[in-house]
Amino acid sequence: MRFLADENFPLPGVRRLRAAGIDIASVSEGSPGVADSDVLARAVREGRVLYLFWILDARILDL
């Protein structure tokens, strides 16, 4: 399974997950400040599960 961590997910957590062998990309590393709709589009395009740090984010994305 592949994941995409949203911008609010702490980078140390992303690094730990990678060290454990998890395939996780991070919005913070490549495109901080990008619109939520673009984050969702990236997750779909790359076949990744969107990993949200704040539960409020799900409401912003209308999920």
Side-chain angles (χ1 to χ4, degrees):
M1 190 172 286
R2 300 173 62 185
F3 297 93
L4 175 61
D6 79 342
E7 187 172 7
N8 296 317
F9 195 89
L11 283 175
V14 170
R15 291 183 189 114
R16 285 184 178 178
L17 289 168
R18 283 184 186 143
I22 304 297
D23 181 349
I24 185 165
S26 172
V27 173
S28 294
E29 292 175 320
S31 49
V34 69
D36 289 335
S37 58
D38 292 333
V39 173
L40 182 57
R42 177 182 172 188
V44 170
R45 183 176 62 250
E46 296 180 8
R48 294 182 181 274
V49 174
L50 185 54
Y51 201 22
L52 303 174
F53 188 71
W54 302 106
I55 190 65
L56 181 58
D57 286 348
R59 294 185 201 143
I60 291 169
L61 291 170
D62 292 325
L63 298 178

